[in-house]
Amino acid sequence: MLKKLTEEKLSELLETGIAEFAEKGPEGANVNTIAKKAGISVGVLYKYYENKEEFFHACLRKSLDILKSVLNEVTQSNDKLLVRAERMIRAVQDYSREYGVYIKMYNRIASENGRKYVSMYAAEIESMTARVYTEFIERAIKDGDIRKDINPRLFAFFFDNLLTMLQFSYCCDYYTERARVYCKEDFDNDEMMVSELLKFIESAFTFSRSEIVHRDQM
């Protein structure tokens, strides 16, 4: 009779799987290796998950549930858009440090090697963030906090791209080196990163074309 795993051991198994998928990608990860690292037999693993794809999906779901809880915590308020934007940036910094291996897994899925999982990944995570960001931008327009001549869905996409790249910069080797090329020592200064990114976002949400003074008019 196969041993039943405790909730704690199941969570450990998923974390082991996430780390393996982050390092080798969904295609390259080996279920036997994951089971061995988790201290169980592969037979026990298959008692809970029918195949590798189902196990991978469980790992993805666990990581997305945590991300969802982080997003809900920082967006469920009546604060002004830029106040919530600051909270999101700080949450990205904290999340990247605590759950960096999750972000590495997302990066691997988004790469060419993870192509067969792209539609699953996009549907599960992007629909959630798209809704959250679009809704708070729409509310900011309605409240008169930001310029009204913007497309909330497109601006939500642009805003999410900024935060996604910031996460990759904190966790993925290539993007970390890329950030250091641009930011130098300021990349290690959390307050500087928050302050400057907020200036960038504020300009995007508040400046209209008519407010920009062209050089030839100065």
Side-chain angles (χ1 to χ4, degrees):
M1 183 175 179
L2 291 173
K3 179 182 178 182
K4 184 176 180 180
L5 300 180
T6 64
E7 288 299 317
E8 182 180 357
K9 192 63 179 179
L10 276 171
S11 180
E12 180 186 336
L13 172 60
L14 291 174
E15 291 292 340
T16 303
I18 290 170
E20 193 73 7
F21 288 128
E23 180 182 352
K24 299 178 181 177
E27 298 288 351
N30 184 286
V31 174
N32 290 288
T33 300
I34 293 170
K36 183 176 180 180
K37 288 183 176 180
I40 64 172
S41 70
V42 71
V44 171
L45 188 151
Y46 282 129
K47 176 184 177 182
Y48 290 88
Y49 307 102
E50 183 177 348
N51 50 43
K52 177 181 174 181
E53 187 164 326
E54 184 178 309
F55 176 63
F56 167 73
H57 188 267
C59 291
L60 180 62
R61 184 71 264 159
K62 174 180 172 63
S63 66
L64 295 183
D65 285 345
I66 293 176
L67 176 60
K68 183 177 181 179
S69 68
V70 170
L71 276 179
N72 286 338
E73 184 177 343
V74 300
T75 57
Q76 297 304 311
S77 74
N78 294 318
D79 294 322
K80 300 291 187 181
L81 181 140
L82 289 176
V83 174
R84 281 186 287 167
E86 179 178 355
R87 293 178 64 195
M88 287 181 190
I89 297 168
R90 295 187 184 281
V92 163
Q93 291 175 327
D94 293 340
Y95 179 83
S96 298
R97 292 190 175 100
E98 187 169 358
Y99 301 106
V101 69
Y102 294 4
I103 296 169
K104 290 181 180 179
M105 182 175 68
Y106 303 153
N107 186 46
R108 289 301 299 256
I109 299 168
S111 71
E112 185 175 353
N113 289 336
R115 186 174 295 167
K116 70 176 286 188
Y117 297 98
V118 166
S119 59
M120 179 198 307
Y121 167 73
E124 296 233 13
I125 188 171
E126 303 300 348
S127 59
M128 174 182 66
T129 53
R131 176 185 56 78
V132 169
Y133 295 157
T134 300
E135 286 178 356
F136 92 80
I137 291 173
E138 287 175 337
R139 192 171 78 185
I141 294 174
K142 181 179 179 180
D143 293 343
D145 293 337
I146 59 176
R147 56 188 294 178
K148 297 182 179 297
D149 63 335
I150 63 175
N151 183 313
R153 289 183 293 103
L154 294 184
F155 264 64
F157 173 64
F158 301 148
F159 181 68
D160 182 63
N161 282 346
L162 287 174
L163 297 189
T164 298
M165 185 57 66
L166 186 62
Q167 289 183 48
F168 286 173
S169 297
Y170 283 124
C171 300
C172 305
D173 292 342
Y174 176 83
Y175 292 100
T176 299
E177 292 307 311
R178 180 179 180 273
R180 293 193 184 283
V181 168
Y182 280 89
C183 305
K184 307 299 182 185
E185 65 277 1
D186 291 331
F187 181 64
D188 297 314
N189 186 330
D190 282 358
E191 293 304 315
M192 176 73 76
M193 295 295 287
V194 171
S195 175
E196 295 303 307
L197 183 50
L198 279 174
K199 291 176 187 176
F200 187 87
I201 292 169
E202 182 178 19
S203 297
F205 281 114
T206 57
F207 287 172
S208 65
R209 183 173 297 180
S210 62
E211 294 176 287
I212 300 174
V213 179
H214 296 286
R215 290 184 178 181
D216 59 0
Q217 296 177 312
M218 294 179 64

